[in-house]
């Protein structure tokens, strides 16, 4: 095996390790609030918004609401960012963030709306 | 009936064509080994022509159904409606899964006809190509656009208002042009493996590859340009799985293009070309599977919902992978042997290194977008955050820029002295690049390195465009485009600034050195949309008009920002809440405190609790005193816990206000109230907006245009006369 091959393989291996470390650290698992409490990295919690619990905080980029996760637990979600369209009508909301001081702090919300994608006729 | 029959018939005849071609291939292979006269042609071409004709009838029938408003068909009913303009009725053809497979089939058939007419494809290649066509036809049987509805409909649902956009007319067809086009080099590659003629297919596949690759790239870029002006799609690139699924074949396709160029110099590289062409097309199919099976519907904003096509796509994907890899492994020992390159400073090495870097980049994005699928096998589906893509792609982008910088220096040849002189020039250009980066406020070393190398790559591509050999000119244009695009991406994202501001009607504020005034809203297009008008006075005078598209019921369906495209920077204005302020405002009060909110004075008098904490049924009631214009009302909003579930019950006060009790802190005797003004903002006419200054974002579009011009030009030049 030639020297330049060894260098080449070395660079690729180094890069592979770099990517794997990055990959595992940026994985955001789907969990419930109970599990989220014990985790330090970013996680995703899916749930439904408790009706009429959406409030705007002290500035326009702060939105708070109560999210009921799949196990039924309810936690205040503290969202910083522009309020996504259709948050009020959402059938399901995924919050990506961390559990901190009794609240779930997030900068990213995925909103599933009943009307967003008109799929098949079955939905009519 | 006509449509369904056409698909079935086309499938049968396509299968016949595939078998006929395969027989001819076998006959040729045996005659070749016994060294007799050149073999005769089989009936494959005839069958293919018939199949193409029938498939065209099927597609034309679908188009006819849509244009004639035949809502008895489920597909037409779901994606079209009477009052839609012609262009959108046309795009209803590819708006749904079924129709987009039909569009794919149409392109596939057209390319097949071109191959037959040019008479360059060996029978083995045509046999494989017909096999792929059969797969598309079977998909169209499973997800048929010709399903009838049981009851009569007078009008259709219409295209999703979000998709009623001029870009919908051209983005999907161009993307599918790329997808369908990549089937041609795949068939050529497998044909090469079948026949053992490893050199003849490379030259033939090159123009097809370049043009299909160019179309796929253009489709991706147009998608990005479209996403830039729709709010909620996360800007021009959000690393969404659906975006990634088209990016991965483009990156690996890029590796394939460069490997084809190495193969023309050294036949030993044909191994790499085989691997690359197989993976490019497999990744097209894999992306299709991932985005259409519904697997990603929890992880993507664009993904299709599961409509029962996932299993069959998975089967075809496995089948294609199996056939292609089996053929490759069987032929591997007999493939040409030798070195791909001899010197590190050779053209072959640079090309091979570029191919390797592009494949690695493709592999990273592939792993990232497959994360939900990979982790699903371990039990709990997870996705990766965009941080993964951004951090891991940056070193590879640096590598690409380095190759683009060094490549032109080496390829011009000359003696050692002129080479040294060129390196000195390079250092001067690099210094300018560093200052460009610093000038835009970049401080992070990795970003500065990227911007510097991207700048040198752009400068180094100039001699290739101005002077240089004519055959290399398209490549230089594409490479300049890539350099400009990387510069644009890095500067526009790292140096962008954004502020949020509240505007009252008629009032001016200074933002990014300009006076911005909110002039109010107006409607156009017969109430289909609502514009909010902002007047900007600075060095330039212009207006920014964010737009809210309304659906049939008059509700917001899609929102667009107000964009001012400038040479140096874009100003991007996005309203934070498009309509009336429907969200309640949070008010925190301690016992005895009072606050003024939305013109109300709210005093928190007391809080009472009924029920026991352990029996899980608690009713909490706050007593509030609300004063408006000297009138006092007492209200008692409640919060009810039942079986662990919260119910908030807001109370109306002074007709147009609603106050809800949202949270209680018993220890501090504090409450959190949600106050909502039901009358909205009509009385105040104010609006919250986010304004972003995006410098040099135009370089992204300019780069995209140059890449598309360069790659398609390179492809067209290589079409044999």
């Amino acid at each position: 095996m030639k020297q330049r091959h060894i260098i080449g393989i070395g660079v690729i291996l180094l890069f592979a390790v770099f990517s794997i470390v990055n990959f595992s650290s940026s994985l955001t698992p789907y969990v419930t609030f109970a599990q989220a409490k014990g985790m330090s990295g970013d996680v995703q919690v899916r749930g439904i918004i408790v009706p009429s619990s959406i409030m705007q905080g002290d500035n326009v980029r702060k939105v708070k609401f109560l999210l009921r996760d799949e196990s039924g637990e309810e936690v205040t979600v503290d969202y910083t960012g522009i309020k996504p369209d259709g948050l009020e009508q959402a059938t399901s909301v995924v919050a990506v963030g961390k559990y901190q001081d009794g609240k779930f702090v997030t900068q990213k919300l995925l909103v599933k709306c009943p009307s967003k994608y008109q799929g098949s006729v079955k939905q009519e | 009936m006509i449509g369904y029959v056409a698909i079935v018939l086309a499938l049968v005849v396509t299968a016949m064509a595939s078998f006929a071609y395969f027989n001819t291939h076998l006959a040729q292979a045996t005659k070749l080994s016994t060294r007799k006269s050149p073999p005769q042609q089989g009936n494959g071409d005839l069958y293919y022509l018939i199949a193409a004709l029938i498939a065209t009838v099927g597609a034309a029938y679908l188009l006819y159904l849509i244009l004639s408003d035949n809502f008895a068909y489920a597909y037409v009913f779901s994606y079209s409606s009477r009052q839609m303009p012609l262009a959108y009725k046309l795009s209803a053809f590819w708006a749904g899964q079924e129709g987009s497979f039909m569009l794919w089939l149409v392109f596939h058939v057209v390319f097949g006809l071109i191959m037959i007419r040019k008479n360059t494809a060996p029978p083995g290649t045509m046999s494989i190509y017909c096999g792929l066509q059969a797969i598309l036809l079977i998909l169209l049987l499973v997800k048929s656009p010709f399903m009838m509805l049981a009851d009569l409909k007078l009008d259709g649902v219409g295209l999703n208002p979000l998709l009623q956009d001029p870009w919908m007319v051209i983005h999907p067809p161009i993307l599918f042009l790329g997808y369908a086009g990549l089937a041609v080099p795949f068939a050529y590659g497998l044909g090469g493996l079948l026949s053992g003629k490893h050199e003849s297919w490379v030259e033939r596949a090159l123009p097809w590859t370049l043009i299909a690759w160019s179309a796929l790239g253009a489709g991706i870029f147009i998608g990005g340009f479209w996403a830039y002006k729709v709010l909620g799609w996360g800007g021009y690139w959000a690393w969404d799985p659906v975006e990634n699924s088209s990016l991965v074949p483009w990156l690996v396709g890029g590796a394939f293009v460069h490997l084809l160029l190495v193969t023309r110099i050294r036949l030993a590289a044909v191994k790499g070309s085989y691997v690359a062409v197989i993976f490019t097309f497999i990744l097209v199919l894999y992306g299709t599977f991932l985005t259409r099976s519904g697997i990603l519907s929890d992880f993507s904003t664009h993904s299709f919902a599961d409509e029962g096509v996932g299993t069959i796509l998975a089967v075809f994907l496995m089948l294609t992978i199996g056939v292609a890899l089996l053929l490759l492994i069987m032929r591997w020992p007999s493939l040409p042997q030798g070195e791909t390159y001899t010197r590190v400073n050779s053209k072959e090495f640079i090309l091979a290194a570029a191919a390797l870097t592009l494949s690695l980049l493709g592999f990273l994005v592939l792993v990232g977008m497959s994360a939900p699928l990979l982790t699903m096998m371990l039990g709990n589906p997870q996705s990766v955050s965009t941080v993964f893509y951004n951090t891991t792609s940056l070193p590879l982008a640096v590598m690409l820029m380095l190759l683009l910088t060094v490549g032109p220096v080496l390829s011009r040849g000359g003696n050692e002295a002129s080479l040294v002189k060129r390196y000195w020039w390079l250092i001067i250009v690099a210094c300018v690049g560093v200052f460009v980066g610093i000038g835009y406020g970049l401080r992070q070393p990795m970003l500065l390195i990227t911007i510097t190398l991207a700048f040198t790559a752009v400068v180094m591509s100039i001699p290739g465009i101005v002077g240089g050999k004519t055959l290399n000119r398209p490549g230089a244009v594409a490479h300049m485009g890539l350099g400009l695009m990387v510069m644009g991406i890095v500067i526009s994202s790292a140096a962008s600034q954004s502020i949020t501001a509240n505007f009252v009607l008629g009032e001016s504020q200074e933002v990014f050195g300009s006076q911005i005034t909110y002039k109010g809203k107006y409607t156009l297009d017969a109430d289909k949309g609502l514009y909010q008008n902002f007047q900007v006075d600075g060095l330039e005078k212009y207006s920014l008009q964010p737009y809210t598209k309304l659906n049939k019921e008059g509700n917001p369906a899609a929102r667009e920002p107000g964009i001012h495209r400038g040479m140096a920077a874009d100003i991007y204005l996005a309203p934070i809440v498009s309509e009336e302020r429907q969200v309640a405002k949070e008010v925190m009060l301690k016992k005895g405190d009072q606050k003024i909110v939305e013109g109300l004075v709210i005093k928190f008098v007391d809080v009472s609790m009924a029920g026991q904490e352990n029996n899980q049924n608690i009713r909490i009631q706050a007593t509030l005193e609300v004063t408006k214009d000297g009138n006092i009302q007492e209200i008692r909003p409640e919060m009810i816990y039942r079986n662990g579930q919260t119910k908030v019950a807001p109370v109306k006060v002074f007709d147009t206000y609603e106050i809800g009790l949202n949270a209680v802190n018993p220890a501090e005797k504090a409450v959190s109230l949600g106050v909502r003004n039901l009358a909205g903002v009509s009385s105040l006419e104010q609006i919250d907006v986010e304004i972003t200054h995006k410098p040099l974002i135009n370089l992204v579009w300019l780069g995209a245009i140059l890449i598309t011009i360069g790659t398609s030009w390179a492809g067209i030049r290589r079409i044999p006369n």
Side-chain angles (χ1 to χ4, degrees):
Chain A
M1 188 167 275
K2 287 173 194 154
Q3 198 185 355
R4 61 164 190 261
H5 285 160
I6 296 171
I7 297 172
I9 290 167
V11 170
I12 293 176
L13 275 181
L14 211 68
F15 185 75
V17 171
F18 168 74
S19 325
I20 291 166
V21 169
N22 251 297
F23 181 76
S24 48
S25 71
S26 44
L27 272 178
T28 44
Y30 264 112
V31 295
T32 59
F33 281 123
Q35 291 166 298
K37 284 168 193 171
M39 297 172 89
S40 57
D42 271 5
V43 293
Q44 316 193 41
V45 180
R46 182 177 23 207
I48 52 169
I49 296 182
V50 172
S52 60
S53 75
I54 302 175
M55 289 194 302
Q56 189 191 307
D58 45 0
N59 89 44
V60 289
R61 289 178 60 95
K62 290 259 185 215
V63 180
K64 282 185 181 181
F65 55 86
L66 269 178
L67 190 70
R68 182 180 303 145
D69 73 8
E70 279 155 355
S71 70
E73 186 172 358
E74 288 165 0
V75 167
T76 302
V77 172
D78 198 333
Y79 168 72
T80 306
I82 294 180
K83 187 171 82 71
D85 281 337
L87 190 63
E88 286 86 355
Q89 294 86 36
T91 48
S92 140
V93 169
V94 177
V96 186
K98 288 187 183 72
Y99 189 86
Q100 275 170 5
D101 309 324
K103 283 182 296 191
F104 192 78
V105 181
T106 173
Q107 271 96 45
K108 191 179 173 192
L109 292 178
L110 278 171
V111 177
K112 287 274 154 192
C113 295
S115 63
K116 193 160 187 184
Y117 293 96
Q118 314 156 316
S120 55
V121 187
K122 279 169 271 169
Q123 291 170 5
E124 290 297 312
Chain B
M1 217 28 213
I2 298 175
Y4 200 76
V5 170
I7 300 296
V8 174
L9 273 180
L11 177 61
V12 172
V13 186
T14 301
M16 282 161 69
S18 186
F19 281 117
Y21 280 125
F22 196 69
N23 274 332
T24 316
H25 163 77
L26 286 181
Q28 282 187 5
T30 46
K31 281 196 179 162
L32 210 66
S33 56
T34 52
R35 293 178 189 280
K36 279 186 185 168
S37 56
Q40 80 290 355
Q41 279 293 322
N43 289 328
D45 285 2
L46 179 67
Y47 290 141
Y48 191 84
L49 278 172
I50 296 171
L53 192 73
I54 302 171
T56 311
V57 168
Y61 188 61
L62 178 61
L63 188 65
Y64 165 76
L65 289 180
I66 294 172
L67 295 183
S68 64
D69 292 330
N70 196 330
F71 300 115
Y73 286 84
Y75 188 80
V76 185
F77 171 75
S78 301
Y79 298 101
S80 189
S81 69
R82 278 186 201 283
Q83 72 277 18
M84 260 175 18
L86 183 66
Y88 293 150
K89 279 188 183 173
L90 204 62
S91 51
F93 189 96
W94 48 78
Q97 290 226 35
E98 301 89 337
S100 59
F101 279 127
M102 186 64 108
L103 182 69
W104 192 333
L105 175 74
V106 170
F107 287 139
H108 192 92
V109 165
V110 169
F111 294 153
L113 290 174
I114 296 174
M115 281 160 81
I116 288 180
R117 197 178 150 70
K118 291 257 175 188
N119 206 15
T120 51
T125 298
M126 285 311 294
S127 172
I128 298 284
Y129 194 77
C130 290
L132 295 175
Q133 184 165 315
I135 289 180
L136 283 173
L137 286 162
I138 294 173
L139 285 173
L140 277 167
L141 284 183
V142 177
K143 291 245 22 119
S144 172
F146 301 111
M147 298 276 279
M148 304 281 281
L149 285 173
D151 45 345
L152 196 70
K153 303 279 185 186
L154 292 174
D155 199 358
V157 179
L159 196 61
N160 185 339
L162 199 59
L163 299 180
Q164 294 203 15
D165 190 290
W167 291 114
M168 183 63 195
V169 185
I170 64 163
H171 165 64
I174 291 181
L175 204 62
F176 282 107
L177 206 60
Y179 283 163
L182 285 173
V184 179
F186 176 77
Y188 267 116
L190 289 202
L193 283 175
L194 275 176
S195 66
K197 291 177 188 160
H198 302 301
E199 59 285 339
S200 61
W201 71 274
V202 170
E203 209 62 40
R204 288 168 185 169
L206 193 56
W208 283 104
T209 312
L210 280 163
I211 291 170
W213 187 52
S214 173
L216 179 57
I220 295 170
F221 302 145
I222 290 170
F225 191 77
W226 183 10
Y228 180 67
K229 63 150 197 126
V230 177
L231 289 174
W233 284 359
Y236 61 85
W237 198 258
W239 295 111
D240 187 277
V242 171
E243 299 169 347
N244 290 342
S245 72
S246 56
L247 179 67
V248 173
W250 186 73
L251 289 168
V252 180
F256 173 52
V257 166
H258 289 85
L259 283 170
L260 276 181
L261 297 176
V262 184
T263 310
R264 293 168 83 231
I265 307 170
R266 289 175 174 274
L267 193 59
V270 80
K271 278 182 176 174
S273 292
Y274 278 128
V275 174
V277 74
I278 288 173
F279 274 97
T280 303
F281 189 68
I282 283 177
L283 287 166
V284 167
L285 291 184
Y286 176 69
T288 308
F289 161 71
L290 218 53
T291 52
R292 288 163 185 259
S293 61
I295 280 183
L296 294 181
S297 57
D298 275 345
F299 301 94
S300 163
T301 42
H302 306 285
S303 184
F304 289 94
D306 183 12
E307 291 175 22
V309 77
T311 324
I312 190 127
L313 271 171
V315 169
F316 283 133
L317 179 64
M318 291 302 170
L319 194 72
T320 316
I321 294 176
V323 169
L325 290 187
L326 192 72
L327 209 53
L328 182 67
I329 292 165
M330 276 165 56
R331 293 285 181 173
W332 192 261
S334 65
L335 292 183
Q337 305 285 326
E339 291 274 336
T340 311
Y341 57 91
T342 46
R343 293 173 297 123
V344 174
N345 58 355
S346 64
K347 192 180 173 189
E348 301 94 282
F349 176 77
I350 300 283
L351 286 170
L356 181 68
T357 315
L358 285 169
S359 331
L360 279 178
L361 203 50
F363 181 71
L364 277 178
V365 182
L366 174 69
V367 170
M369 78 172 188
S370 311
L373 204 64
L374 294 173
T375 50
M376 196 185 284
M377 292 169 190
L378 303 172
N380 190 7
Q382 312 183 13
S383 62
V384 288
S385 58
T386 52
V387 181
F388 167 74
Y389 298 106
N390 291 332
T391 42
T392 52
S393 64
L394 198 58
L396 292 171
V398 168
M399 187 68 204
L400 279 180
M401 293 302 111
L402 185 68
L403 291 169
L404 282 187
T405 303
V406 178
V409 176
L410 292 177
S411 69
R412 299 203 72 193
N415 55 23
E416 195 137 315
S418 63
L419 202 65
V420 169
K421 204 172 141 195
R422 261 178 246 154
Y423 275 118
W424 276 111
W425 272 110
L426 193 59
I427 289 170
I428 295 170
V429 174
C431 288
V432 178
V434 174
F435 282 116
V436 170
I438 291 175
Y440 275 101
L442 303 189
R443 294 294 177 269
Q444 207 190 313
M446 198 61 186
L447 290 181
L448 271 177
I449 293 172
T450 317
I451 217 64
T452 305
L453 286 172
F455 185 76
T456 50
V458 171
V459 174
M460 295 319 280
S461 67
I462 294 172
I465 297 172
V466 181
K469 281 175 253 166
T470 45
L471 202 62
N472 293 338
R473 214 168 271 167
V477 171
H479 289 155
M480 177 185 259
L482 184 60
L484 288 172
M485 183 184 259
V486 170
M487 284 181 74
I489 290 171
V490 171
I491 292 178
S492 71
S493 49
S496 91
Q497 288 174 298
S498 123
I499 62 144
T500 50
N502 177 278
F503 280 91
V504 177
L505 185 65
E507 189 191 75
S508 301
Q509 283 183 50
E510 196 183 309
V511 182
F512 299 124
S514 299
Q515 285 292 324
I516 301 184
T517 316
Y518 178 43
K519 298 286 214 183
K521 41 190 159 188
Y522 64 93
T523 51
L524 259 188
D525 305 341
D527 290 332
K528 271 185 191 156
L530 178 94
Y531 291 86
Q532 288 145 327
N533 192 11
F534 291 82
Q535 188 61 45
V536 184
D537 287 309
L539 291 171
E540 281 177 274
K541 288 187 200 303
Y542 54 89
S543 65
L544 290 169
Q545 305 195 336
Y547 171 59
T548 306
K549 200 181 275 179
L550 304 174
N551 63 13
K552 276 186 226 159
E553 290 79 36
N555 295 319
R559 296 199 293 127
E560 291 178 8
I563 303 175
H564 174 69
R565 299 179 192 276
M567 281 292 282
D570 277 13
I571 297 288
Y572 192 97
L573 185 146
I576 290 175
V577 185
S578 57
E579 281 298 274
E580 297 87 72
R581 199 191 298 258
Q582 290 177 333
V583 186
K585 270 205 165 164
E586 184 180 34
V587 183
M588 305 264 238
L589 284 173
K590 282 188 180 173
K591 196 173 167 181
D593 281 358
Q594 62 178 41
K595 267 188 189 165
I596 303 170
V597 185
E598 301 262 338
L600 297 177
V601 184
I602 303 170
K603 186 177 177 190
F604 171 33
V605 182
D606 200 6
V607 62
S608 66
M609 223 177 274
Q612 295 296 313
E613 203 149 327
N614 49 13
N615 77 6
Q616 300 227 319
N617 276 327
I618 312 166
R619 179 183 290 253
I620 304 170
Q621 197 177 60
T623 308
L624 307 172
E625 257 178 37
V626 185
T627 315
K628 191 197 175 206
D629 305 331
N631 302 317
I632 299 186
Q633 276 193 23
E634 194 184 83
I635 54 164
R636 293 196 166 86
E638 286 183 338
M639 197 172 157
I640 302 153
Y641 284 112
R642 191 171 292 136
N643 305 322
Q645 297 206 341
T646 313
K647 198 173 164 242
V648 179
V651 174
K652 248 190 181 176
V653 61
F654 292 115
D655 294 331
T656 58
Y657 294 90
E658 218 177 53
I659 300 181
L661 177 62
N662 284 49
V664 182
N665 185 337
E668 293 182 38
K669 287 261 180 195
V671 289
S672 162
L673 305 170
V675 180
R676 190 197 305 258
N677 185 352
L678 297 175
V681 285
S682 48
S683 53
L684 271 168
E685 273 289 5
Q686 57 174 355
I687 182 170
D688 293 309
V689 295
E690 181 175 57
I691 305 171
T692 315
H693 180 257
K694 297 175 189 256
L696 293 189
I697 187 122
N698 281 327
L699 288 187
V700 179
W701 320 132
L702 180 64
I705 292 167
L706 290 182
I707 293 172
T708 307
I709 291 175
T711 48
S712 53
W713 184 16
I716 291 164
R717 288 192 74 105
R718 290 177 198 277
I719 295 174
N721 297 320

